[in-house]
Amino acid sequence: MIQALAEAIEQEAWQLAVATVEEGLTDDQLPSLQRLGRLGQLGDMPTFIGELARGLVEPSQERLRIGSPLAAQARDHAREREALGFAPREIVTEFLLLRRVLWRFVSERAAELDAGEVLLVERRLNDTIDRLVTECVVAYFDRATSELAHEARHDQLTGLLHHHAFLGELEAEVERAGRYGHELALVFFDLDDFKDVNDTLGHQAGDRVLQSFAGALRGSLRASDLAGRMGGDEFAAYLLEADDEAGTRLIARLHERLKALPGRRGRRGRALPSRRRAALLGQARQRNLKLGRERRLDLDRLAGQRVREREPPRV
């Protein structure tokens, strides 16, 4: 009789998913459902119900193991729900409501099952739904942990690596370059007249200047290069497999991007004079590190040096 029950659940998968949605809309148990159309409300629920039905007949630990297709689909479902604005509590509640709807469906047919089969169906449904809930929770914590790890290493304002994270990455690259006899270039930047921008236009304008510069710098790097904010209006970038002109080429690309930025306007609506907008250009200094035999480098000392290659042109 379990076979017949499983077939009935699979045939009614869509209607059972709709019943779960209606349950969630009742008393606003899943408020995020209110913002979605019917297909968005259903999500992957019909698919999960079909999997639950198959699990009644052919239970398998392999289907429920970490990394299985069903587990991966549950994680994807949780990420999609979260992207739609569902709170973690709502994502879990959705599966608990599905359990209630399914058990109501089974109870209506309990007379067709003996006591042992009823207990077996309950256990198998619970095992699968518990696994789906677990995968959803893991997906949430994976994302949250990843975001926290990113925030711990990146400057909140500019999105670039902060001072300590940048130096940590640079130290690893210095070790690698020394081991294999490669070269890398280290380029420092600071912004001209940045204090003047803060003093006359306010710190919000200064923040926008820093964000604009950071975006231009990030866009000027190659995929193998990395940049960081060293503090205040000072930035640095390291360039892997760099020749003597690598830093010069980076500076040229950066200048082209900065020139293309739209002019900001001052408090009285006037365009900022070029001297103010030149805060985005600042000074750039390149230090090429020849590391064929060198094993370690005092990175903090190097970051504090003021090795001026040339003063870049003004806009």
Side-chain angles (χ1 to χ4, degrees):
M1 297 306 297
I2 292 180
Q3 175 75 42
L5 176 64
E7 290 174 358
I9 291 175
E10 193 161 13
Q11 289 171 3
E12 298 289 327
W14 188 270
Q15 290 77 7
L16 290 169
V18 170
T20 303
V21 169
E22 296 299 333
E23 193 90 12
L25 293 171
T26 302
D27 297 329
D28 212 22
Q29 295 183 76
L30 297 176
S32 295
L33 288 176
Q34 299 279 3
R35 303 191 299 268
L36 305 177
R38 180 60 86 194
L39 287 178
Q41 290 174 337
L42 292 172
D44 293 318
M45 280 298 147
T47 302
F48 290 134
I49 292 170
E51 289 292 337
L52 284 162
R54 286 187 283 276
L56 289 180
V57 180
E58 299 176 357
S60 169
Q61 290 300 317
E62 187 68 16
R63 292 175 62 255
L64 300 179
R65 67 175 174 79
I66 297 174
S68 68
L70 182 58
Q73 187 170 14
R75 293 193 184 204
D76 289 342
H77 174 80
R79 295 186 188 101
E80 290 169 5
R81 285 312 208 199
E82 195 173 4
L84 290 170
F86 281 60
R89 178 192 61 81
E90 292 182 282
I91 298 171
V92 172
T93 300
E94 187 175 26
F95 283 101
L96 299 182
L97 293 177
L98 172 60
R99 190 204 307 266
R100 182 189 302 172
V101 168
L102 285 173
W103 190 244
R104 186 185 304 141
F105 184 86
V106 171
S107 297
E108 293 169 354
R109 292 157 178 79
E112 302 170 9
L113 305 170
D114 61 39
E117 288 176 325
V118 171
L119 292 174
L120 188 60
V121 167
E122 181 182 20
R123 179 168 59 81
R124 289 178 178 175
L125 286 177
N126 286 341
D127 285 349
T128 303
I129 291 176
D130 287 347
R131 170 53 65 186
L132 293 173
V133 169
T134 298
E135 293 298 335
C136 288
V137 172
V138 168
Y140 168 76
F141 279 106
D142 281 351
R143 182 202 57 75
T145 302
S146 177
E147 287 185 359
L148 288 173
H150 182 273
E151 292 174 2
R153 288 169 47 81
H154 290 76
D155 174 59
Q156 185 175 7
L157 179 64
T158 64
L160 299 177
L161 289 175
H162 61 56
H163 174 85
H164 294 295
F166 177 82
L167 290 182
E169 294 290 334
L170 176 60
E171 183 171 12
E173 291 300 338
V174 167
E175 292 287 350
R176 190 175 296 112
R179 185 179 307 118
Y180 297 108
H182 297 166
E183 294 186 11
L184 62 85
L186 182 59
V187 186
F188 296 100
F189 309 87
D190 57 25
L191 309 186
D192 286 347
D193 304 320
F194 181 70
K195 184 177 184 300
D196 189 23
V197 172
N198 272 337
D199 291 345
T200 59
L201 300 178
H203 288 282
Q204 288 186 341
D207 287 348
R208 289 194 294 270
V209 167
L210 294 173
Q211 290 169 334
S212 296
F213 180 84
L217 176 57
R218 188 185 297 108
S220 302
L221 298 174
R222 304 170 303 172
S224 59
D225 303 331
L226 200 61
R229 182 183 179 193
M230 308 307 286
D233 64 345
E234 296 184 341
F235 298 81
Y238 68 69
L239 317 178
L240 302 182
E241 302 293 340
D243 57 31
D244 291 341
E245 298 300 318
T248 301
R249 291 193 294 272
L250 169 62
I251 293 167
R253 292 193 300 271
L254 178 58
H255 274 265
E256 291 304 313
R257 285 182 175 270
L258 294 175
K259 288 177 183 178
L261 290 176
R264 303 285 184 186
R265 293 195 170 272
R267 290 178 178 173
R268 299 182 180 178
R270 296 177 297 176
L272 296 182
S274 60
R275 176 174 170 273
R276 293 266 173 81
R277 289 195 290 135
L280 281 173
L281 289 178
Q283 306 288 336
R285 308 173 291 286
Q286 178 182 346
R287 173 71 178 260
N288 272 67
L289 308 178
K290 300 185 180 297
L291 299 167
R293 296 172 179 267
E294 191 170 1
R295 299 300 295 175
R296 286 197 59 81
L297 187 67
D298 186 341
L299 298 175
D300 287 295
R301 175 183 57 78
L302 181 61
Q305 290 180 356
R306 292 294 179 264
V307 184
R308 296 186 181 274
E309 179 189 357
R310 62 183 178 85
E311 187 169 317
R314 302 283 190 181
V315 171

